[in-house]
Amino acid sequence: MSANLLAIFYLISGVLFILALRGLSSPETSRRGNLYGIIGMIIAISVTIISVSNFSIGFVYLIIFLILGGTIGAYIAFKIPMTAMPELVAGFHSLVGLAAVFVAISAFLNPVIFNLGYPGDIKIASLIEMSLGAAIGAITFTGSIIAFLKLRGIMSGSPITFFGQHFLNLVLGILLIGLIFYLCKTQSENLFWSLIVISFLVGVLLIIPIGGADMPVVISMLNSYSGWAAAGIGFTLENTALIITGALVGSSGAILSYIMCKGMNRSFFNVILGGWGATDESSNVKSKEQKPVKSGNADDAAFLMKNASSVIIVPGYGMAVAQAQHALKEMVDSLKKNGVKVSYAIHPVAGRMPGHMNVLLAEANVPYDEVFELEDINNDFANCDVAYVIGANDVTNPVAKTDPQSPIYGMPILDVEKSKSVLFVKRSLSPGYAGIDNDLFYRENTLMLFADAKKMTEEITKNL
């Protein structure tokens, strides 16, 4: 295939990727966006395979690994539950970063194959590109592994800090810049390996001080890192598809991270630089045994909702764990038959990644026009008869507005405490992912429903 024809097909795939991102910006067009992305990726992969001119042993390896990777990816996609999607995304980001590192190593050790020059005499521009791609890729790899471990519960979700941590990060960052500079001057293999090892270490140090409350931002940030790593390697390989795709992923991930930081009242630079100023979340947990709570059952909840004129549903990670979205839809349908107005309130970081709750509600065929973002529905809680909180914790915690020492202080929350009655479905009084107690549990207008979210919702529907 000629270089011009190759470039045209890569450009087409790039346009499809842009359309995919555009489609994914809205629930109504998300399916179409996914389809555009799939078609674009099929074109990019197919053209890359066709561009291999000779059917050598390398071509055979390409097909083998393509089939192997595709099979593993398809199996994971079929088996993975929605609750595990955040850690799956983190895991996949790590693979993108590692792939960038492997390509950079291959290009550095055998530059002739990539038309970059000769060992010890690589083009400076190519050396800078592969160095940046390798460094960002290595940071993405280890950072994503730490995020995966935190999200999976294998590692504590609380910030892991030590004296001089930020100073060490600063020193290592300056050292990486110095290594890239001297690598371009000397093209020393030892400097190249040192660059990769230190980048792996930086990835760990950047993510361990970030607490559970900020993990959704971390996922988005690592997504951005993986894109920039791919773009850097794309320049090294002179591959248009990699450059376009990497730039799209990198820029969109960065924009999303900024939007989420703004929505959580977090400093964007603090998060991407490793949780600068992170507080010890465990020290903010208050003793809940000393506070009285009011608990009820499905019959109490059904009575309150049936006699309400308006109900606002606030879904959270607990709904995802219990897979209660279909039971919730049935309950809402019963309420509507009784003339109750029902709407859904979604916090920007409900669940553990952006759009988590929207996808679950769409899976249960909840109409899009009944689902509202925080800024569109927050004022309605004051006029709401019942707020039904199903597994949402940190995003409803009033201490975000009252306690300057809280790790979520300043984060915009859903004002459910302003409702006339709050029904809070939760298994226990355990703290949320941020590791702090929820003051909403102990409010006069709150009735705790201690049960599995799906079972409680089904019981309420029966009582209705």
Side-chain angles (χ1 to χ4, degrees):
M1 182 179 289
S2 68
N4 288 338
L5 195 57
L6 189 70
I8 290 172
F9 277 113
Y10 279 151
L11 182 61
I12 293 172
S13 68
V15 171
L16 286 168
F17 293 146
I18 293 172
L19 292 174
L21 282 177
R22 179 69 184 88
L24 292 171
S25 64
S26 169
E28 290 90 341
T29 57
S30 58
R31 289 181 183 273
R32 191 190 317 150
N34 266 319
L35 181 61
Y36 286 144
I38 291 169
I39 296 172
M41 188 56 69
I42 289 173
I43 292 174
I45 293 174
S46 300
V47 170
T48 302
I49 293 173
I50 295 171
S51 66
V52 178
S53 56
N54 58 328
F55 290 81
S56 60
I57 188 67
F59 182 84
V60 175
Y61 282 137
L62 175 64
I63 298 299
I64 290 173
F65 284 113
L66 186 65
I67 294 173
L68 181 63
T71 303
I72 294 172
Y75 176 78
I76 292 174
F78 276 113
K79 299 293 289 185
I80 198 75
M82 270 302 299
T83 50
M85 194 60 68
E87 50 259 48
L88 175 68
V89 172
F92 280 173
H93 288 162
S94 73
L95 296 179
V96 176
L98 190 61
V101 173
F102 282 156
V103 172
I105 291 172
S106 178
F108 183 80
L109 297 179
N110 203 341
V112 178
I113 293 178
F114 297 92
N115 297 318
L116 303 178
Y118 301 92
D121 188 26
I122 301 173
K123 301 172 187 175
I124 297 300
S126 299
L127 203 57
I128 294 173
E129 291 159 5
M130 75 172 69
S131 298
L132 289 173
I136 298 173
I139 291 171
T140 303
F141 174 69
T142 50
S144 297
I145 293 296
I146 297 299
F148 173 86
L149 295 175
K150 281 176 172 272
L151 288 165
R152 197 69 180 171
I154 299 172
M155 177 184 288
S156 171
S158 299
I160 300 173
T161 58
F162 55 85
F163 179 74
Q165 186 172 25
H166 298 305
F167 179 74
L168 176 61
N169 287 346
L170 179 63
V171 170
L172 290 177
I174 295 173
L175 182 59
L176 285 177
I177 296 173
L179 284 172
I180 293 175
F181 175 77
Y182 282 104
L183 178 62
C184 293
K185 288 190 67 174
T186 64
Q187 304 205 10
S188 166
E189 189 172 322
N190 290 333
L191 289 179
F192 181 74
W193 290 114
S194 299
L195 173 72
I196 292 176
V197 171
I198 293 174
S199 297
F200 279 139
L201 177 61
V202 169
V204 174
L205 294 175
L206 280 179
I207 305 302
I208 59 172
I210 299 178
D214 293 325
M215 286 312 292
V217 183
V218 172
I219 296 296
S220 177
M221 179 187 71
L222 290 170
N223 177 49
S224 178
Y225 286 176
S226 68
W228 296 125
I233 294 303
F235 280 106
T236 301
L237 301 180
E238 297 182 349
N239 186 296
T240 309
L242 261 181
I243 296 171
I244 294 174
T245 307
L248 285 172
V249 173
S251 56
S252 61
I255 292 169
L256 179 59
S257 298
Y258 173 77
I259 292 172
M260 292 178 68
C261 283
K262 189 176 179 182
M264 296 169 66
N265 196 34
R266 291 287 192 267
S267 166
F268 178 68
F269 290 103
N270 284 0
V271 174
I272 65 172
L273 294 176
W276 191 283
T279 57
D280 182 5
E281 295 171 359
S282 61
S283 65
N284 290 278
V285 179
K286 298 177 183 178
S287 174
K288 48 185 174 289
E289 289 79 5
Q290 299 176 359
K291 302 177 184 178
V293 296
K294 293 192 295 184
S295 62
N297 54 36
D299 189 51
D300 300 325
F303 177 80
L304 283 172
M305 286 197 278
K306 190 172 183 179
N307 290 282
S309 59
S310 64
V311 173
I312 297 179
I313 310 291
V314 182
Y317 188 68
M319 184 191 77
V321 172
Q323 287 292 287
Q325 61 270 26
H326 296 284
L328 184 64
K329 176 65 164 53
E330 290 180 17
M331 185 191 80
V332 169
D333 288 341
S334 296
L335 288 172
K336 288 179 179 177
K337 289 176 183 177
N338 286 301
V340 180
K341 178 187 175 185
V342 183
S343 51
Y344 298 80
I346 305 292
H347 192 279
V349 294
R352 292 188 183 176
M353 66 183 298
H356 201 172
M357 296 301 104
N358 301 76
V359 172
L360 288 173
L361 294 177
E363 184 184 323
N365 294 317
V366 171
Y368 297 131
D369 58 0
E370 294 179 5
V371 181
F372 299 91
E373 299 295 330
L374 178 145
E375 62 271 13
D376 297 323
I377 200 170
N378 233 11
N379 292 331
D380 296 345
F381 282 106
N383 301 314
C384 169
D385 292 313
V386 177
Y388 185 71
V389 184
I390 178 167
N393 201 335
D394 297 324
V395 298
T396 63
N397 196 339
V399 299
K401 297 183 289 186
T402 59
D403 185 3
Q405 301 304 314
S406 172
I408 64 170
Y409 180 69
M411 181 179 86
I413 63 164
L414 292 163
D415 295 330
V416 294
E417 79 276 6
K418 294 181 180 179
S419 303
K420 293 176 183 176
S421 297
V422 178
L423 300 175
F424 207 121
V425 185
K426 204 171 182 298
R427 289 178 180 272
S428 67
L429 291 174
S430 59
Y433 198 64
I436 57 174
D437 197 18
N438 192 341
D439 190 53
L440 183 62
F441 298 162
Y442 316 105
R443 295 293 177 97
E444 273 294 316
N445 60 334
T446 299
L447 187 68
M448 298 298 299
L449 305 174
F450 295 113
D452 172 82
K454 183 178 181 180
K455 291 180 180 178
M456 174 57 70
T457 304
E458 288 173 343
E459 285 297 317
I460 293 173
T461 304
K462 290 177 183 177
N463 281 280
L464 284 172

